[in-house]
Amino acid sequence: MYPLASLFQRHIASGLAQTYPNLRDAAAFICESHLDPENYAMPLLDSSSAQIRELLAQGDYSSINDKLSFEPTQTMRGVIRVMVRTHLNRQAVGYVSRGAAHKTVAKRVLAPFEGDFDYAQMIDHDYFAECWQRAVAANPQEYDDVDRIAINGLKKLRGGQRVKAGVAKHFLGHDNWAKVLTGIYSALLYLHKHYDSNAEALWADMNACVNDAQAAQRLVRQVESGIHQYGPALAGSFLADLGHTGFVKPDTHVISGVAAMLGKDTVSQEDAVHFVYELAEKYSVAPRAIDKIFYIGCSGKLYLYDLTIKHPKRFKNEFLKQLRQL
């Protein structure tokens, strides 16, 4: 085990001892699960988390992985759902995801993308608007008047207005909804334009980036420029959460972790990504594994099992202190 992974495991064990004492002995398994490439795709959170915790406490690890489920990202349905969920995993959209126990699976946003949906036809704006209206009609309890005004406003957009959140706000009435709805629609157009709504073509582009950090960053920039409301962090996150090992999300935790190892107060997103790729090459591991060590070690969110270490600020500062000593 390389030094960073060893430090990560000790740090998680310490956090579990404070927050979930009965799970301390499961620290090694929990860490390995989160760093396992088989578990890199965006997970589907369901009611089995309590059962999984019980199995963890009992040390019955053999059947736990069978209870984990993930978005089917080898299909366009799964790709689009990850794209939609990524739009919710950002700032300034809290009104849209409000009330959801886990904001990226807010039913009021995922409803049009449940079951079998015609993702190819969704590039037709009128059909896109109809899908949202049907979701409201089928789940009236999920939406209030502000939501309905925004969704009904979709049909009023024309031409370039469809992908410009600033203009769309005038028609939709709420800035958060404008960002989410126009962002999702622009992504549908992007996936159709570049990949003909074909998941295999997207995966071929991602696989071409293996062991090529510059190629990976070029693809991230292409996604960023093609999908409205995606910056470098969300574009990288989208590709990484499809389950690919070669992409990095330069969020605040990754930036903090890299800065600590470099003995700096902060670094740019670009420098953070570059350093993660350097570490990955040094340790002969996937860039996504390094990304996850920094994210989980700083945030304390063991998301596969719906666990969160208490006192997150103190937990993060302790991890950063140890990273500075590596």
Side-chain angles (χ1 to χ4, degrees):
M1 185 180 296
Y2 51 99
L4 184 59
S6 298
L7 169 59
F8 172 64
Q9 185 171 308
R10 294 194 301 271
H11 181 59
I12 295 303
S14 175
L16 288 171
Q18 298 173 35
T19 310
Y20 307 97
N22 63 329
L23 299 183
R24 190 185 192 287
D25 291 341
F29 175 82
I30 290 172
C31 290
E32 289 168 5
S33 294
H34 283 83
L35 300 183
D36 184 348
E38 293 295 320
N39 298 335
Y40 282 177
M42 186 172 275
L44 292 166
L45 302 173
D46 54 37
S47 58
S48 66
S49 58
Q51 183 183 12
I52 290 176
R53 289 187 199 182
E54 184 176 349
L55 293 172
L56 286 170
Q58 295 171 353
D60 184 3
Y61 307 140
S62 60
S63 59
I64 288 179
N65 284 341
D66 292 337
K67 298 185 181 302
L68 298 177
S69 56
F70 303 88
E71 293 287 0
T73 59
Q74 298 291 332
T75 69
M76 187 50 63
R77 176 181 182 273
V79 168
I80 289 175
R81 281 177 55 87
V82 169
M83 175 273 293
V84 173
R85 293 178 63 184
T86 301
H87 274 289
L88 292 176
N89 197 23
R90 53 157 294 179
Q91 297 178 341
V93 296
Y95 184 86
V96 173
S97 59
R98 70 191 187 281
H102 301 284
K103 63 181 181 180
T104 70
V105 289
K107 184 175 179 61
R108 61 213 313 272
V109 181
L110 279 182
F113 307 94
E114 297 288 356
D116 294 325
F117 58 93
D118 193 339
Y119 49 82
Q121 192 175 347
M122 275 189 174
I123 62 171
D124 178 89
H125 182 75
D126 290 335
Y127 182 80
F128 180 70
E130 290 172 9
C131 288
W132 282 95
Q133 290 170 330
R134 285 200 297 269
V136 172
N139 307 277
Q141 73 284 357
E142 296 289 336
Y143 304 91
D144 62 19
D145 289 342
V146 175
D147 303 329
R148 293 186 181 91
I149 289 171
I151 290 170
N152 286 334
L154 268 176
K155 58 189 176 184
K156 302 176 184 177
L157 297 180
R158 290 292 179 268
Q161 298 170 346
R162 297 171 179 170
V163 292
K164 293 182 179 179
V167 177
K169 179 184 176 182
H170 172 75
F171 293 95
L172 274 58
H174 196 285
D175 185 52
N176 285 196
W177 270 112
K179 289 175 179 176
V180 170
L181 292 173
T182 58
I184 291 173
Y185 184 65
S186 73
L188 292 170
L189 294 179
Y190 169 83
L191 292 169
H192 177 73
K193 175 183 177 181
H194 287 274
Y195 302 107
D196 196 25
S197 299
N198 185 313
E200 290 183 4
L202 171 58
W203 272 90
D205 259 12
M206 291 193 292
N207 289 336
C209 298
V210 172
N211 299 323
D212 189 339
Q214 292 184 339
Q217 286 306 97
R218 284 196 297 271
L219 184 55
V220 168
R221 287 193 292 270
Q222 177 184 294
V223 171
E224 178 187 356
S225 64
I227 302 181
H228 293 274
Q229 304 301 321
Y230 273 15
L234 286 183
S237 176
F238 166 58
L239 296 171
D241 281 334
L242 292 176
H244 201 281
T245 62
F247 295 91
V248 176
K249 177 185 179 182
D251 64 11
T252 182
H253 299 304
V254 171
I255 288 172
S256 295
V258 170
M261 290 193 71
L262 292 175
K264 299 180 178 181
D265 292 332
T266 190
V267 295
S268 68
Q269 288 183 327
E270 183 178 356
D271 287 344
V273 171
H274 181 71
F275 186 74
V276 168
Y277 282 120
E278 284 187 342
L279 278 183
E281 184 175 0
K282 176 182 178 180
Y283 295 134
S284 299
V285 297
R288 185 60 165 160
I290 304 295
D291 171 309
K292 286 187 175 293
I293 286 175
F294 285 139
Y295 170 72
I296 298 171
C298 287
S299 70
K301 294 180 179 178
L302 297 155
Y303 60 90
L304 285 179
Y305 308 121
D306 198 18
L307 303 170
T308 302
I309 305 299
K310 66 181 180 182
H311 307 306
K313 185 175 181 179
R314 186 173 68 192
F315 184 75
K316 178 175 182 175
N317 287 338
E318 179 59 30
F319 190 52
L320 296 179
K321 178 182 177 181
Q322 295 177 72
L323 288 176
R324 295 186 186 100
Q325 297 171 359
L326 277 183

